[in-house]
Amino acid sequence: MEWDDDTLRRFREGTPEVLADVYRAHAEPLARLLKAAAWRGAFTRLRNAMELENTLLETFARAFEPRTRAAYNGTRPYAHFLMGIARNVLLEQSRERELVGRDEAFEGLTESSSEEGGLDALLEDREVEALLAAFKGGLSREEHRLFELRFGEGLPQEEAATALGLTRIQVRRREFGLKSRLLGFLQSKGYLEDLETQGWSFFKRRGAR
């Protein structure tokens, strides 16, 4: 695929036809590169067809995000650019799998014992309800929708991803960012000071009471 000035401009603008052309030109070659890497011993889980497809789709989802499109200069081979993104996706997936046993979503905030008081108890406090409302008021439309889907309606990540038009990994990244910001916000108001973020969940600090 040739990256002339007009193609690069339309790519950065997110023109659907150009994005489709880029995908058609690079999806199969990227899949072959990933499979070759898997059989050489790197990220061997990609020998599974579904794992490979998920990684491929996530790579292009990130590559086609506005900020990433703007970062491509049209000079560097796009295949190399994609492989850099794919490598980051795979590394994130690996870290995610290491932490999956500790992934307790938003309910992780309630790990404090009932005697010490966790989020469930705090939510009964009108002051905390007001704080949560203030926090949500500062969220973008997409963040607010994600917050309500995951923490208000309790939808699984897969269903929230479908509702938002995102991948599950994208939802996990955004969810972790929301939880970290919420924890920092509540701690700045004097709540949940004995908790910290670790991986995708919240945990009591070692030695905290």
Side-chain angles (χ1 to χ4, degrees):
M1 179 173 177
E2 297 294 330
W3 288 93
D4 54 44
D5 290 343
D6 182 61
T7 300
L8 182 59
R9 176 185 60 79
R10 295 169 65 210
F11 174 74
R12 288 175 170 173
E13 291 174 352
T15 304
E17 294 82 0
V18 176
L19 297 183
D21 288 343
V22 171
Y23 182 83
R24 283 193 293 266
H26 293 281
E28 187 174 343
L30 177 60
R32 288 199 300 266
L33 287 172
L34 292 174
K35 283 194 288 187
W39 287 102
R40 287 197 304 267
F43 302 108
T44 55
R45 66 177 180 273
L46 294 182
R47 297 176 186 177
N48 178 283
M50 184 172 293
E51 293 277 4
L52 177 65
E53 181 179 359
N54 288 340
T55 299
L56 193 70
L57 292 175
E58 177 64 20
T59 297
F60 276 97
R62 296 192 192 188
F64 287 170
E65 288 178 350
R67 184 180 301 177
T68 314
R69 295 199 310 268
Y72 181 61
N73 60 16
T75 302
R76 179 185 179 189
Y78 196 69
H80 295 174
F81 187 76
L82 279 174
M83 276 301 292
I85 296 172
R87 188 175 297 109
N88 289 336
V89 169
L90 289 164
L91 290 173
E92 284 188 23
Q93 288 174 343
S94 295
R95 288 193 293 268
E96 177 183 341
R97 288 166 191 240
E98 291 173 3
L99 295 166
V100 69
R102 291 177 286 176
D103 182 13
E104 298 176 21
F106 192 66
E107 289 78 11
L109 274 170
T110 62
E111 287 192 9
S112 300
S113 71
S114 58
E115 294 181 359
E116 296 167 295
L119 186 61
D120 287 340
L122 287 174
L123 286 175
E124 298 176 1
D125 190 303
R126 290 184 179 179
E127 180 179 356
V128 175
E129 290 181 358
L131 289 176
L132 287 174
F135 175 79
K136 289 190 289 185
L139 300 178
S140 69
R141 180 177 299 179
E142 182 185 72
E143 290 172 336
H144 191 278
R145 180 64 174 149
L146 173 59
F147 193 99
E148 292 301 323
L149 289 174
R150 288 287 291 133
F151 311 141
E153 301 177 24
L155 286 185
Q157 286 179 342
E158 292 84 353
E159 294 183 27
T162 299
L164 293 168
L166 300 171
T167 67
R168 185 172 182 271
I169 292 178
Q170 287 175 316
V171 166
R172 286 177 65 82
R173 293 204 316 267
R174 288 163 170 75
E175 180 179 317
F176 178 65
L178 280 176
K179 290 190 291 187
S180 297
R181 285 161 55 191
L182 175 58
L183 181 60
F185 178 79
L186 291 175
Q187 288 178 335
S188 73
K189 305 299 181 181
Y191 291 95
L192 305 176
E193 293 178 337
D194 63 340
L195 295 181
E196 64 181 353
T197 56
Q198 181 177 346
W200 301 96
S201 298
F202 294 97
F203 293 85
K204 289 187 62 178
R205 291 193 182 96
R206 186 172 298 174
R209 296 183 177 181

